Amino acid sequence: MNLANKITLARIFLVPVVMIFLLVQFDIGYIEVGKVKLNVNELIATVVFILAAVTDGLDGYIARKNKIVTNLGKFLDPLADKLLITAALVSLVELQRLDAWIAIVIISREFAVTGLRLIAAAEGYVIAASPLGKLKTIIQIIAIVSLMLNNVPFSTIPFPFAYIATWLAVLITVISGLDYFYKNRKIVSLTKP
């Protein structure tokens, strides 16, 4: 197993760590940021989430640079991304920081695009990540981090950054999903003779 695939596997193994620190309340304490108390559990979960999110770009970069792109990596990388985002969204719903319908919209888009990619692969096509898809991932990560931190440091102003980032994530998620389907509509409409 090459280095890129090991990094991808590490991202998968970080998913339960994020969930544990978000959902299990260890008595670690709080850090004060201005007038806001930030739970250390949530801070640890956020740092681990950011670390895992950074590995998303790192594993792909290493694989391409060293010409070690493998079928296993092509399978594990999008799986790891979806596991990380889905776990974070479900945890935030559990913490009542995110409406369930928002998580469903984002997760549904991921399933739909994955399904489209499977149809394309069955027909011999590869659907690469689009610039909108990459932007979507970045905005989702920003929104999730701001929700994990309970809008700190913006809550001291007060400025609804987490709220704005979440709505922007939903908007770009829907737009990028529609973009994938529009640009690949011929693949979906292919019929077998």
Side-chain angles (χ1 to χ4, degrees), residues 87-125:
L89 293 173
V90 170
S91 297
L92 290 167
V93 169
E94 173 70 19
L95 292 170
Q96 298 180 351
R97 293 191 192 166
L98 183 69
D99 290 337
W101 74 266
I102 292 174
I104 290 168
V105 166
I106 293 172
I107 294 166
S108 296
R109 181 263 185 212
E110 299 304 330
F111 277 115
V113 171
T114 298
L116 177 64
R117 284 192 165 118
L118 289 172
I119 292 168
E123 297 296 330
Y125 298 99

PDB file of all heavy atoms in Angstrom, residues 87-125:
ATOM      1  N   ALA A  87     -20.431  12.116   8.522  1.00  0.00           N
ATOM      2  CA  ALA A  87     -20.306  11.949   9.971  1.00  0.00           C
ATOM      3  C   ALA A  87     -20.392  13.296  10.683  1.00  0.00           C
ATOM      4  O   ALA A  87     -21.071  13.426  11.713  1.00  0.00           O
ATOM      5  CB  ALA A  87     -18.985  11.255  10.314  1.00  0.00           C
ATOM      6  N   ALA A  88     -19.734  14.298  10.136  1.00  0.00           N
ATOM      7  CA  ALA A  88     -19.776  15.631  10.749  1.00  0.00           C
ATOM      8  C   ALA A  88     -21.187  16.210  10.700  1.00  0.00           C
ATOM      9  O   ALA A  88     -21.683  16.750  11.698  1.00  0.00           O
ATOM     10  CB  ALA A  88     -18.797  16.566  10.040  1.00  0.00           C
ATOM     11  N   LEU A  89     -21.851  16.079   9.556  1.00  0.00           N
ATOM     12  CA  LEU A  89     -23.206  16.614   9.426  1.00  0.00           C
ATOM     13  C   LEU A  89     -24.177  15.931  10.381  1.00  0.00           C
ATOM     14  O   LEU A  89     -24.972  16.591  11.060  1.00  0.00           O
ATOM     15  CB  LEU A  89     -23.703  16.469   7.984  1.00  0.00           C
ATOM     16  CG  LEU A  89     -22.989  17.324   6.929  1.00  0.00           C
ATOM     17  CD1 LEU A  89     -23.462  16.939   5.533  1.00  0.00           C
ATOM     18  CD2 LEU A  89     -23.195  18.805   7.188  1.00  0.00           C
ATOM     19  N   VAL A  90     -24.111  14.599  10.445  1.00  0.00           N
ATOM     20  CA  VAL A  90     -25.006  13.854  11.341  1.00  0.00           C
ATOM     21  C   VAL A  90     -24.730  14.234  12.801  1.00  0.00           C
ATOM     22  O   VAL A  90     -25.662  14.413  13.596  1.00  0.00           O
ATOM     23  CB  VAL A  90     -24.867  12.330  11.117  1.00  0.00           C
ATOM     24  CG1 VAL A  90     -25.591  11.533  12.182  1.00  0.00           C
ATOM     25  CG2 VAL A  90     -25.384  11.962   9.727  1.00  0.00           C
ATOM     26  N   SER A  91     -23.471  14.396  13.157  1.00  0.00           N
ATOM     27  CA  SER A  91     -23.118  14.798  14.520  1.00  0.00           C
ATOM     28  C   SER A  91     -23.666  16.188  14.842  1.00  0.00           C
ATOM     29  O   SER A  91     -24.172  16.431  15.945  1.00  0.00           O
ATOM     30  CB  SER A  91     -21.599  14.796  14.705  1.00  0.00           C
ATOM     31  OG  SER A  91     -21.085  13.500  14.531  1.00  0.00           O
ATOM     32  N   LEU A  92     -23.580  17.098  13.880  1.00  0.00           N
ATOM     33  CA  LEU A  92     -24.087  18.454  14.096  1.00  0.00           C
ATOM     34  C   LEU A  92     -25.614  18.476  14.215  1.00  0.00           C
ATOM     35  O   LEU A  92     -26.165  19.283  14.965  1.00  0.00           O
ATOM     36  CB  LEU A  92     -23.607  19.383  12.975  1.00  0.00           C
ATOM     37  CG  LEU A  92     -22.107  19.687  13.022  1.00  0.00           C
ATOM     38  CD1 LEU A  92     -21.641  20.327  11.723  1.00  0.00           C
ATOM     39  CD2 LEU A  92     -21.765  20.568  14.223  1.00  0.00           C
ATOM     40  N   VAL A  93     -26.282  17.582  13.488  1.00  0.00           N
ATOM     41  CA  VAL A  93     -27.732  17.453  13.648  1.00  0.00           C
ATOM     42  C   VAL A  93     -28.033  16.962  15.058  1.00  0.00           C
ATOM     43  O   VAL A  93     -28.915  17.490  15.745  1.00  0.00           O
ATOM     44  CB  VAL A  93     -28.346  16.509  12.578  1.00  0.00           C
ATOM     45  CG1 VAL A  93     -29.790  16.166  12.922  1.00  0.00           C
ATOM     46  CG2 VAL A  93     -28.255  17.138  11.195  1.00  0.00           C
ATOM     47  N   GLU A  94     -27.282  15.969  15.526  1.00  0.00           N
ATOM     48  CA  GLU A  94     -27.460  15.433  16.879  1.00  0.00           C
ATOM     49  C   GLU A  94     -27.255  16.525  17.936  1.00  0.00           C
ATOM     50  O   GLU A  94     -27.964  16.575  18.938  1.00  0.00           O
ATOM     51  CB  GLU A  94     -26.487  14.275  17.115  1.00  0.00           C
ATOM     52  CG  GLU A  94     -26.451  13.733  18.515  1.00  0.00           C
ATOM     53  CD  GLU A  94     -27.704  12.966  18.914  1.00  0.00           C
ATOM     54  OE1 GLU A  94     -28.462  12.542  18.011  1.00  0.00           O
ATOM     55  OE2 GLU A  94     -27.930  12.815  20.117  1.00  0.00           O
ATOM     56  N   LEU A  95     -26.299  17.418  17.698  1.00  0.00           N
ATOM     57  CA  LEU A  95     -26.024  18.512  18.630  1.00  0.00           C
ATOM     58  C   LEU A  95     -27.005  19.677  18.468  1.00  0.00           C
ATOM     59  O   LEU A  95     -26.889  20.680  19.168  1.00  0.00           O
ATOM     60  CB  LEU A  95     -24.593  19.034  18.420  1.00  0.00           C
ATOM     61  CG  LEU A  95     -23.467  18.087  18.805  1.00  0.00           C
ATOM     62  CD1 LEU A  95     -22.122  18.623  18.332  1.00  0.00           C
ATOM     63  CD2 LEU A  95     -23.459  17.854  20.305  1.00  0.00           C
ATOM     64  N   GLN A  96     -27.922  19.546  17.539  1.00  0.00           N
ATOM     65  CA  GLN A  96     -28.945  20.559  17.240  1.00  0.00           C
ATOM     66  C   GLN A  96     -28.337  21.881  16.784  1.00  0.00           C
ATOM     67  O   GLN A  96     -28.850  22.956  17.068  1.00  0.00           O
ATOM     68  CB  GLN A  96     -29.868  20.762  18.437  1.00  0.00           C
ATOM     69  CG  GLN A  96     -30.620  19.510  18.793  1.00  0.00           C
ATOM     70  CD  GLN A  96     -31.546  19.684  19.976  1.00  0.00           C
ATOM     71  OE1 GLN A  96     -31.527  20.695  20.668  1.00  0.00           O
ATOM     72  NE2 GLN A  96     -32.377  18.679  20.205  1.00  0.00           N
ATOM     73  N   ARG A  97     -27.229  21.771  16.040  1.00  0.00           N
ATOM     74  CA  ARG A  97     -26.608  22.965  15.452  1.00  0.00           C
ATOM     75  C   ARG A  97     -26.887  23.055  13.953  1.00  0.00           C
ATOM     76  O   ARG A  97     -26.517  24.038  13.321  1.00  0.00           O
ATOM     77  CB  ARG A  97     -25.098  22.940  15.672  1.00  0.00           C
ATOM     78  CG  ARG A  97     -24.744  23.089  17.118  1.00  0.00           C
ATOM     79  CD  ARG A  97     -23.290  23.324  17.304  1.00  0.00           C
ATOM     80  NE  ARG A  97     -22.983  23.184  18.718  1.00  0.00           N
ATOM     81  CZ  ARG A  97     -21.771  23.059  19.187  1.00  0.00           C
ATOM     82  NH1 ARG A  97     -20.741  23.064  18.366  1.00  0.00           N
ATOM     83  NH2 ARG A  97     -21.569  22.933  20.480  1.00  0.00           N
ATOM     84  N   LEU A  98     -27.498  22.000  13.430  1.00  0.00           N
ATOM     85  CA  LEU A  98     -27.789  21.940  11.998  1.00  0.00           C
ATOM     86  C   LEU A  98     -29.145  21.290  11.823  1.00  0.00           C
ATOM     87  O   LEU A  98     -29.422  20.257  12.438  1.00  0.00           O
ATOM     88  CB  LEU A  98     -26.703  21.120  11.283  1.00  0.00           C
ATOM     89  CG  LEU A  98     -26.815  21.006   9.774  1.00  0.00           C
ATOM     90  CD1 LEU A  98     -26.533  22.353   9.105  1.00  0.00           C
ATOM     91  CD2 LEU A  98     -25.831  19.960   9.241  1.00  0.00           C
ATOM     92  N   ASP A  99     -29.976  21.897  10.979  1.00  0.00           N
ATOM     93  CA  ASP A  99     -31.277  21.287  10.677  1.00  0.00           C
ATOM     94  C   ASP A  99     -31.063  20.021   9.866  1.00  0.00           C
ATOM     95  O   ASP A  99     -30.212  19.981   8.957  1.00  0.00           O
ATOM     96  CB  ASP A  99     -32.150  22.255   9.874  1.00  0.00           C
ATOM     97  CG  ASP A  99     -32.614  23.445  10.712  1.00  0.00           C
ATOM     98  OD1 ASP A  99     -32.656  23.326  11.952  1.00  0.00           O
ATOM     99  OD2 ASP A  99     -32.924  24.503  10.119  1.00  0.00           O
ATOM    100  N   ALA A 100     -31.849  18.995  10.173  1.00  0.00           N
ATOM    101  CA  ALA A 100     -31.710  17.704   9.506  1.00  0.00           C
ATOM    102  C   ALA A 100     -31.903  17.823   7.998  1.00  0.00           C
ATOM    103  O   ALA A 100     -31.205  17.159   7.231  1.00  0.00           O
ATOM    104  CB  ALA A 100     -32.693  16.699  10.092  1.00  0.00           C
ATOM    105  N   TRP A 101     -32.814  18.688   7.556  1.00  0.00           N
ATOM    106  CA  TRP A 101     -33.071  18.795   6.112  1.00  0.00           C
ATOM    107  C   TRP A 101     -31.834  19.280   5.362  1.00  0.00           C
ATOM    108  O   TRP A 101     -31.599  18.874   4.223  1.00  0.00           O
ATOM    109  CB  TRP A 101     -34.290  19.677   5.826  1.00  0.00           C
ATOM    110  CG  TRP A 101     -34.083  21.150   6.002  1.00  0.00           C
ATOM    111  CD1 TRP A 101     -34.343  21.900   7.108  1.00  0.00           C
ATOM    112  CD2 TRP A 101     -33.558  22.062   5.024  1.00  0.00           C
ATOM    113  NE1 TRP A 101     -34.018  23.205   6.893  1.00  0.00           N
ATOM    114  CE2 TRP A 101     -33.530  23.344   5.618  1.00  0.00           C
ATOM    115  CE3 TRP A 101     -33.106  21.924   3.716  1.00  0.00           C
ATOM    116  CZ2 TRP A 101     -33.075  24.473   4.948  1.00  0.00           C
ATOM    117  CZ3 TRP A 101     -32.651  23.049   3.049  1.00  0.00           C
ATOM    118  CH2 TRP A 101     -32.643  24.311   3.652  1.00  0.00           C
ATOM    119  N   ILE A 102     -31.021  20.118   6.010  1.00  0.00           N
ATOM    120  CA  ILE A 102     -29.790  20.605   5.356  1.00  0.00           C
ATOM    121  C   ILE A 102     -28.817  19.446   5.181  1.00  0.00           C
ATOM    122  O   ILE A 102     -28.225  19.269   4.110  1.00  0.00           O
ATOM    123  CB  ILE A 102     -29.153  21.752   6.170  1.00  0.00           C
ATOM    124  CG1 ILE A 102     -30.058  22.993   6.107  1.00  0.00           C
ATOM    125  CG2 ILE A 102     -27.750  22.071   5.666  1.00  0.00           C
ATOM    126  CD1 ILE A 102     -29.611  24.143   6.986  1.00  0.00           C
ATOM    127  N   ALA A 103     -28.673  18.633   6.222  1.00  0.00           N
ATOM    128  CA  ALA A 103     -27.797  17.462   6.124  1.00  0.00           C
ATOM    129  C   ALA A 103     -28.299  16.522   5.034  1.00  0.00           C
ATOM    130  O   ALA A 103     -27.504  15.991   4.244  1.00  0.00           O
ATOM    131  CB  ALA A 103     -27.726  16.738   7.467  1.00  0.00           C
ATOM    132  N   ILE A 104     -29.625  16.341   4.954  1.00  0.00           N
ATOM    133  CA  ILE A 104     -30.191  15.441   3.943  1.00  0.00           C
ATOM    134  C   ILE A 104     -29.927  15.963   2.541  1.00  0.00           C
ATOM    135  O   ILE A 104     -29.566  15.191   1.640  1.00  0.00           O
ATOM    136  CB  ILE A 104     -31.701  15.233   4.201  1.00  0.00           C
ATOM    137  CG1 ILE A 104     -31.885  14.392   5.468  1.00  0.00           C
ATOM    138  CG2 ILE A 104     -32.380  14.562   3.012  1.00  0.00           C
ATOM    139  CD1 ILE A 104     -33.297  14.361   5.995  1.00  0.00           C
ATOM    140  N   VAL A 105     -30.071  17.265   2.322  1.00  0.00           N
ATOM    141  CA  VAL A 105     -29.810  17.840   0.995  1.00  0.00           C
ATOM    142  C   VAL A 105     -28.354  17.594   0.590  1.00  0.00           C
ATOM    143  O   VAL A 105     -28.070  17.142  -0.521  1.00  0.00           O
ATOM    144  CB  VAL A 105     -30.137  19.358   0.967  1.00  0.00           C
ATOM    145  CG1 VAL A 105     -29.559  20.030  -0.272  1.00  0.00           C
ATOM    146  CG2 VAL A 105     -31.645  19.579   1.031  1.00  0.00           C
ATOM    147  N   ILE A 106     -27.433  17.876   1.506  1.00  0.00           N
ATOM    148  CA  ILE A 106     -26.009  17.723   1.190  1.00  0.00           C
ATOM    149  C   ILE A 106     -25.657  16.253   0.962  1.00  0.00           C
ATOM    150  O   ILE A 106     -24.982  15.913  -0.023  1.00  0.00           O
ATOM    151  CB  ILE A 106     -25.143  18.353   2.306  1.00  0.00           C
ATOM    152  CG1 ILE A 106     -25.337  19.882   2.302  1.00  0.00           C
ATOM    153  CG2 ILE A 106     -23.670  17.991   2.125  1.00  0.00           C
ATOM    154  CD1 ILE A 106     -24.687  20.597   3.473  1.00  0.00           C
ATOM    155  N   ILE A 107     -26.110  15.376   1.836  1.00  0.00           N
ATOM    156  CA  ILE A 107     -25.802  13.948   1.697  1.00  0.00           C
ATOM    157  C   ILE A 107     -26.461  13.365   0.452  1.00  0.00           C
ATOM    158  O   ILE A 107     -25.845  12.563  -0.266  1.00  0.00           O
ATOM    159  CB  ILE A 107     -26.213  13.185   2.978  1.00  0.00           C
ATOM    160  CG1 ILE A 107     -25.344  13.638   4.164  1.00  0.00           C
ATOM    161  CG2 ILE A 107     -26.116  11.678   2.779  1.00  0.00           C
ATOM    162  CD1 ILE A 107     -25.854  13.214   5.530  1.00  0.00           C
ATOM    163  N   SER A 108     -27.677  13.793   0.148  1.00  0.00           N
ATOM    164  CA  SER A 108     -28.375  13.303  -1.052  1.00  0.00           C
ATOM    165  C   SER A 108     -27.618  13.668  -2.314  1.00  0.00           C
ATOM    166  O   SER A 108     -27.509  12.871  -3.250  1.00  0.00           O
ATOM    167  CB  SER A 108     -29.794  13.871  -1.120  1.00  0.00           C
ATOM    168  OG  SER A 108     -30.553  13.411  -0.036  1.00  0.00           O
ATOM    169  N   ARG A 109     -27.091  14.875  -2.349  1.00  0.00           N
ATOM    170  CA  ARG A 109     -26.310  15.305  -3.519  1.00  0.00           C
ATOM    171  C   ARG A 109     -25.094  14.394  -3.687  1.00  0.00           C
ATOM    172  O   ARG A 109     -24.748  13.995  -4.797  1.00  0.00           O
ATOM    173  CB  ARG A 109     -25.879  16.758  -3.341  1.00  0.00           C
ATOM    174  CG  ARG A 109     -25.074  17.315  -4.519  1.00  0.00           C
ATOM    175  CD  ARG A 109     -23.603  17.217  -4.203  1.00  0.00           C
ATOM    176  NE  ARG A 109     -22.783  17.843  -5.231  1.00  0.00           N
ATOM    177  CZ  ARG A 109     -21.588  17.416  -5.555  1.00  0.00           C
ATOM    178  NH1 ARG A 109     -21.071  16.349  -4.967  1.00  0.00           N
ATOM    179  NH2 ARG A 109     -20.882  18.030  -6.469  1.00  0.00           N
ATOM    180  N   GLU A 110     -24.452  14.046  -2.572  1.00  0.00           N
ATOM    181  CA  GLU A 110     -23.274  13.179  -2.652  1.00  0.00           C
ATOM    182  C   GLU A 110     -23.644  11.805  -3.205  1.00  0.00           C
ATOM    183  O   GLU A 110     -22.937  11.259  -4.053  1.00  0.00           O
ATOM    184  CB  GLU A 110     -22.612  13.052  -1.277  1.00  0.00           C
ATOM    185  CG  GLU A 110     -22.122  14.363  -0.683  1.00  0.00           C
ATOM    186  CD  GLU A 110     -21.153  15.120  -1.576  1.00  0.00           C
ATOM    187  OE1 GLU A 110     -20.402  14.496  -2.354  1.00  0.00           O
ATOM    188  OE2 GLU A 110     -21.147  16.361  -1.488  1.00  0.00           O
ATOM    189  N   PHE A 111     -24.761  11.240  -2.728  1.00  0.00           N
ATOM    190  CA  PHE A 111     -25.214   9.949  -3.254  1.00  0.00           C
ATOM    191  C   PHE A 111     -25.558  10.047  -4.738  1.00  0.00           C
ATOM    192  O   PHE A 111     -25.233   9.155  -5.520  1.00  0.00           O
ATOM    193  CB  PHE A 111     -26.442   9.445  -2.479  1.00  0.00           C
ATOM    194  CG  PHE A 111     -26.113   8.745  -1.203  1.00  0.00           C
ATOM    195  CD1 PHE A 111     -26.509   9.277   0.017  1.00  0.00           C
ATOM    196  CD2 PHE A 111     -25.408   7.547  -1.198  1.00  0.00           C
ATOM    197  CE1 PHE A 111     -26.210   8.627   1.212  1.00  0.00           C
ATOM    198  CE2 PHE A 111     -25.105   6.892  -0.023  1.00  0.00           C
ATOM    199  CZ  PHE A 111     -25.513   7.433   1.191  1.00  0.00           C
ATOM    200  N   ALA A 112     -26.232  11.127  -5.125  1.00  0.00           N
ATOM    201  CA  ALA A 112     -26.656  11.291  -6.520  1.00  0.00           C
ATOM    202  C   ALA A 112     -25.454  11.381  -7.451  1.00  0.00           C
ATOM    203  O   ALA A 112     -25.416  10.726  -8.505  1.00  0.00           O
ATOM    204  CB  ALA A 112     -27.546  12.528  -6.659  1.00  0.00           C
ATOM    205  N   VAL A 113     -24.453  12.183  -7.081  1.00  0.00           N
ATOM    206  CA  VAL A 113     -23.267  12.323  -7.936  1.00  0.00           C
ATOM    207  C   VAL A 113     -22.466  11.026  -7.950  1.00  0.00           C
ATOM    208  O   VAL A 113     -21.932  10.633  -8.994  1.00  0.00           O
ATOM    209  CB  VAL A 113     -22.412  13.536  -7.501  1.00  0.00           C
ATOM    210  CG1 VAL A 113     -21.079  13.569  -8.238  1.00  0.00           C
ATOM    211  CG2 VAL A 113     -23.183  14.835  -7.755  1.00  0.00           C
ATOM    212  N   THR A 114     -22.406  10.334  -6.826  1.00  0.00           N
ATOM    213  CA  THR A 114     -21.731   9.025  -6.791  1.00  0.00           C
ATOM    214  C   THR A 114     -22.443   8.053  -7.730  1.00  0.00           C
ATOM    215  O   THR A 114     -21.794   7.311  -8.479  1.00  0.00           O
ATOM    216  CB  THR A 114     -21.686   8.468  -5.356  1.00  0.00           C
ATOM    217  OG1 THR A 114     -20.925   9.369  -4.543  1.00  0.00           O
ATOM    218  CG2 THR A 114     -21.058   7.093  -5.318  1.00  0.00           C
ATOM    219  N   GLY A 115     -23.766   8.056  -7.708  1.00  0.00           N
ATOM    220  CA  GLY A 115     -24.540   7.212  -8.624  1.00  0.00           C
ATOM    221  C   GLY A 115     -24.259   7.555 -10.072  1.00  0.00           C
ATOM    222  O   GLY A 115     -24.101   6.662 -10.921  1.00  0.00           O
ATOM    223  N   LEU A 116     -24.192   8.846 -10.364  1.00  0.00           N
ATOM    224  CA  LEU A 116     -23.868   9.292 -11.727  1.00  0.00           C
ATOM    225  C   LEU A 116     -22.496   8.781 -12.145  1.00  0.00           C
ATOM    226  O   LEU A 116     -22.319   8.297 -13.268  1.00  0.00           O
ATOM    227  CB  LEU A 116     -23.918  10.825 -11.799  1.00  0.00           C
ATOM    228  CG  LEU A 116     -23.531  11.460 -13.128  1.00  0.00           C
ATOM    229  CD1 LEU A 116     -24.509  11.060 -14.235  1.00  0.00           C
ATOM    230  CD2 LEU A 116     -23.480  12.976 -12.991  1.00  0.00           C
ATOM    231  N   ARG A 117     -21.539   8.862 -11.245  1.00  0.00           N
ATOM    232  CA  ARG A 117     -20.185   8.379 -11.553  1.00  0.00           C
ATOM    233  C   ARG A 117     -20.178   6.868 -11.788  1.00  0.00           C
ATOM    234  O   ARG A 117     -19.438   6.373 -12.640  1.00  0.00           O
ATOM    235  CB  ARG A 117     -19.225   8.745 -10.421  1.00  0.00           C
ATOM    236  CG  ARG A 117     -18.837  10.203 -10.435  1.00  0.00           C
ATOM    237  CD  ARG A 117     -17.668  10.456  -9.499  1.00  0.00           C
ATOM    238  NE  ARG A 117     -17.089  11.748  -9.787  1.00  0.00           N
ATOM    239  CZ  ARG A 117     -17.045  12.744  -8.921  1.00  0.00           C
ATOM    240  NH1 ARG A 117     -17.523  12.600  -7.708  1.00  0.00           N
ATOM    241  NH2 ARG A 117     -16.496  13.897  -9.258  1.00  0.00           N
ATOM    242  N   LEU A 118     -20.990   6.123 -11.044  1.00  0.00           N
ATOM    243  CA  LEU A 118     -21.076   4.676 -11.246  1.00  0.00           C
ATOM    244  C   LEU A 118     -21.679   4.350 -12.607  1.00  0.00           C
ATOM    245  O   LEU A 118     -21.210   3.437 -13.299  1.00  0.00           O
ATOM    246  CB  LEU A 118     -21.898   4.030 -10.134  1.00  0.00           C
ATOM    247  CG  LEU A 118     -21.241   3.993  -8.752  1.00  0.00           C
ATOM    248  CD1 LEU A 118     -22.226   3.504  -7.703  1.00  0.00           C
ATOM    249  CD2 LEU A 118     -19.990   3.136  -8.772  1.00  0.00           C
ATOM    250  N   ILE A 119     -22.718   5.082 -12.995  1.00  0.00           N
ATOM    251  CA  ILE A 119     -23.318   4.886 -14.323  1.00  0.00           C
ATOM    252  C   ILE A 119     -22.279   5.192 -15.403  1.00  0.00           C
ATOM    253  O   ILE A 119     -22.126   4.433 -16.364  1.00  0.00           O
ATOM    254  CB  ILE A 119     -24.567   5.782 -14.508  1.00  0.00           C
ATOM    255  CG1 ILE A 119     -25.683   5.307 -13.579  1.00  0.00           C
ATOM    256  CG2 ILE A 119     -25.029   5.797 -15.954  1.00  0.00           C
ATOM    257  CD1 ILE A 119     -26.848   6.286 -13.467  1.00  0.00           C
ATOM    258  N   ALA A 120     -21.566   6.303 -15.226  1.00  0.00           N
ATOM    259  CA  ALA A 120     -20.538   6.679 -16.201  1.00  0.00           C
ATOM    260  C   ALA A 120     -19.451   5.616 -16.294  1.00  0.00           C
ATOM    261  O   ALA A 120     -19.031   5.238 -17.395  1.00  0.00           O
ATOM    262  CB  ALA A 120     -19.928   8.030 -15.821  1.00  0.00           C
ATOM    263  N   ALA A 121     -19.007   5.118 -15.147  1.00  0.00           N
ATOM    264  CA  ALA A 121     -17.959   4.089 -15.135  1.00  0.00           C
ATOM    265  C   ALA A 121     -18.425   2.832 -15.846  1.00  0.00           C
ATOM    266  O   ALA A 121     -17.655   2.197 -16.583  1.00  0.00           O
ATOM    267  CB  ALA A 121     -17.553   3.773 -13.708  1.00  0.00           C
ATOM    268  N   ALA A 122     -19.694   2.468 -15.657  1.00  0.00           N
ATOM    269  CA  ALA A 122     -20.234   1.282 -16.332  1.00  0.00           C
ATOM    270  C   ALA A 122     -20.250   1.457 -17.842  1.00  0.00           C
ATOM    271  O   ALA A 122     -20.160   0.482 -18.590  1.00  0.00           O
ATOM    272  CB  ALA A 122     -21.646   0.986 -15.826  1.00  0.00           C
ATOM    273  N   GLU A 123     -20.332   2.703 -18.278  1.00  0.00           N
ATOM    274  CA  GLU A 123     -20.332   3.004 -19.714  1.00  0.00           C
ATOM    275  C   GLU A 123     -18.930   3.325 -20.243  1.00  0.00           C
ATOM    276  O   GLU A 123     -18.773   3.684 -21.402  1.00  0.00           O
ATOM    277  CB  GLU A 123     -21.277   4.185 -20.002  1.00  0.00           C
ATOM    278  CG  GLU A 123     -22.728   3.907 -19.665  1.00  0.00           C
ATOM    279  CD  GLU A 123     -23.321   2.794 -20.520  1.00  0.00           C
ATOM    280  OE1 GLU A 123     -22.892   2.614 -21.675  1.00  0.00           O
ATOM    281  OE2 GLU A 123     -24.210   2.089 -20.014  1.00  0.00           O
ATOM    282  N   GLY A 124     -17.932   3.240 -19.374  1.00  0.00           N
ATOM    283  CA  GLY A 124     -16.547   3.480 -19.797  1.00  0.00           C
ATOM    284  C   GLY A 124     -16.106   4.926 -19.715  1.00  0.00           C
ATOM    285  O   GLY A 124     -15.085   5.306 -20.282  1.00  0.00           O
ATOM    286  N   TYR A 125     -16.855   5.762 -19.004  1.00  0.00           N
ATOM    287  CA  TYR A 125     -16.501   7.174 -18.850  1.00  0.00           C
ATOM    288  C   TYR A 125     -16.028   7.434 -17.425  1.00  0.00           C
ATOM    289  O   TYR A 125     -16.426   6.749 -16.491  1.00  0.00           O
ATOM    290  CB  TYR A 125     -17.713   8.081 -19.126  1.00  0.00           C
ATOM    291  CG  TYR A 125     -18.262   7.974 -20.520  1.00  0.00           C
ATOM    292  CD1 TYR A 125     -19.381   7.183 -20.783  1.00  0.00           C
ATOM    293  CD2 TYR A 125     -17.680   8.654 -21.577  1.00  0.00           C
ATOM    294  CE1 TYR A 125     -19.899   7.078 -22.049  1.00  0.00           C
ATOM    295  CE2 TYR A 125     -18.197   8.555 -22.857  1.00  0.00           C
ATOM    296  CZ  TYR A 125     -19.304   7.764 -23.095  1.00  0.00           C
ATOM    297  OH  TYR A 125     -19.818   7.663 -24.352  1.00  0.00           O
TER     298      TYR A 125
END
